[in-house]
Amino acid sequence: MDLLFSHAIVRTPGPDAGGGLTTASLGRPDIPLLLAQHAAYIEILRALGLEVTVLPPLPGCPDAYFVEDAAVMTPEVAVITRPGAPSRRGEIESIESVLAKMRPVARIEAPGTLDGGDVLRVENRFYIGRSERTNDSGAGQLGRILEKNGYEWRVVPVGSGLHLKSSVNTLGGRDLVFAAGTPFLDAFEGCRSIVLDPGDDYAANALWINGTLLVPFGFPEARWKIEQLSRPVIDVAMTEMRKMDGGLTCLSLRF
Ligand code: CIR
């Protein structure tokens, strides 16, 4: 049974949002369009019944609107991460001040690094990607915090791609969507997999919100495959976030 979300935290992109980290060669984001797409994303979350807290831009932290990377939320605890990219570490103080009002806080400490984009919950188990951003220490620290709170956890070597959730996401329960050629499919035994076509990798970052599936606009084959689950699907324009390696999940913390 999936836990339903009642809240989301997002952060408005700042005027410096084009100065964040990226591996994409898609050009710089158009900031007015980025803001419009971000505002539309917020409206979708609200239309799905979530109470959305919108944090202001964080000066000097151009990637801070990818709030998912700065924390991992469970009903019991808010885990403040230690992002793998040093340029993103300035984000955590601000997110901690917000989350500390909502949950007991735990922290990933040095030498651990962990990005929330590497953390995927499937029912009672958390899959933690070991990636360019998340190391063994960070994954282990998070795992032990989760274990204390009654969860199972498993480390998955991500191989290529930015984060674990760049390649796999839940579509509800144990239904998962994978990018083509994902090397770690075996780690998810017992789950039902939809594997997208080569070229549709970006659409593997689909987002389940209380039974509705958000998918990035512009991937008709991926959308068709996901629609076969007979759950409502909403297309979301993500062209400008994609230029900064951002996807649907990273724009919010949901709980
Ligand atoms: C970064 O490279 O950190 C940002 N430009 C993009 C982070 C995307 N986060 C995510 O998918 N969870």
Side-chain angles (χ1 to χ4, degrees):
M1 185 60 192
D2 292 304
L3 193 72
L4 297 181
F5 301 127
S6 55
H7 288 81
I9 294 177
V10 303
R11 185 187 292 283
T12 305
D16 58 354
L21 300 169
T22 188
T23 58
S25 318
L26 298 169
R28 278 177 85 84
D30 173 324
I31 299 298
L33 183 54
L34 175 71
L35 289 168
Q37 292 182 343
H38 193 263
Y41 176 88
I42 293 172
E43 284 319 306
I44 291 168
L45 299 189
R46 290 197 170 124
L48 292 172
L50 302 196
E51 186 180 314
V52 184
T53 300
V54 184
L55 305 177
L58 195 58
C61 294
D63 279 319
Y65 65 106
F66 299 123
V67 281
E68 174 181 70
D69 292 321
V72 176
M73 290 291 272
T74 78
E76 301 79 15
V77 62
V79 183
I80 309 302
T81 68
R82 183 167 180 270
S87 68
R88 298 201 57 186
R89 300 220 176 114
E91 298 171 24
I92 57 180
E93 200 179 308
S94 156
I95 210 81
E96 178 169 346
S97 67
V98 175
L99 299 183
K101 297 184 185 115
M102 303 177 177
R103 298 276 192 285
V105 160
R107 290 176 203 84
I108 303 300
E109 309 282 0
T113 62
L114 182 102
D115 279 15
D118 279 316
V119 182
L120 175 64
R121 180 174 178 175
V122 178
E123 297 181 333
N124 201 46
R125 175 180 293 168
F126 283 80
Y127 293 89
I128 307 172
R130 193 176 63 231
S131 70
E132 283 173 23
R133 298 287 178 88
T134 296
N135 64 16
D136 280 323
S137 167
Q141 290 181 48
L142 176 65
R144 288 186 289 278
I145 294 164
L146 294 170
E147 201 170 279
K148 266 194 239 154
N149 287 286
Y151 298 99
E152 294 175 26
W153 59 289
R154 183 173 286 190
V155 175
V156 181
V158 170
S160 62
L162 180 58
H163 289 128
L164 178 69
K165 284 189 286 192
S166 307
S167 306
V168 56
N169 284 278
T170 178
L171 300 175
R174 293 185 188 190
D175 294 333
L176 302 181
V177 59
F178 289 89
T182 305
F184 47 77
L185 223 80
D186 290 355
F188 293 86
E189 90 279 351
C191 295
R192 181 159 59 149
S193 349
I194 292 178
V195 180
L196 301 182
D197 296 337
D200 280 353
D201 292 3
Y202 185 69
N205 191 257
L207 174 59
W208 178 93
I209 303 272
N210 298 352
T212 295
L213 299 171
L214 277 54
V215 298
F217 179 71
F219 299 88
E221 291 297 327
R223 191 192 205 281
W224 184 85
K225 287 188 178 192
I226 290 170
E227 271 172 354
Q228 303 315 301
L229 291 172
S230 301
R231 291 170 199 153
V233 173
I234 300 178
D235 295 298
V236 188
M238 290 291 293
T239 56
E240 303 315 294
M241 293 78 159
R242 189 180 181 196
K243 292 174 181 172
M244 301 311 298
D245 285 344
L248 285 162
T249 64
C250 61
L251 293 179
S252 59
L253 279 165
R254 304 149 302 270
F255 49 96

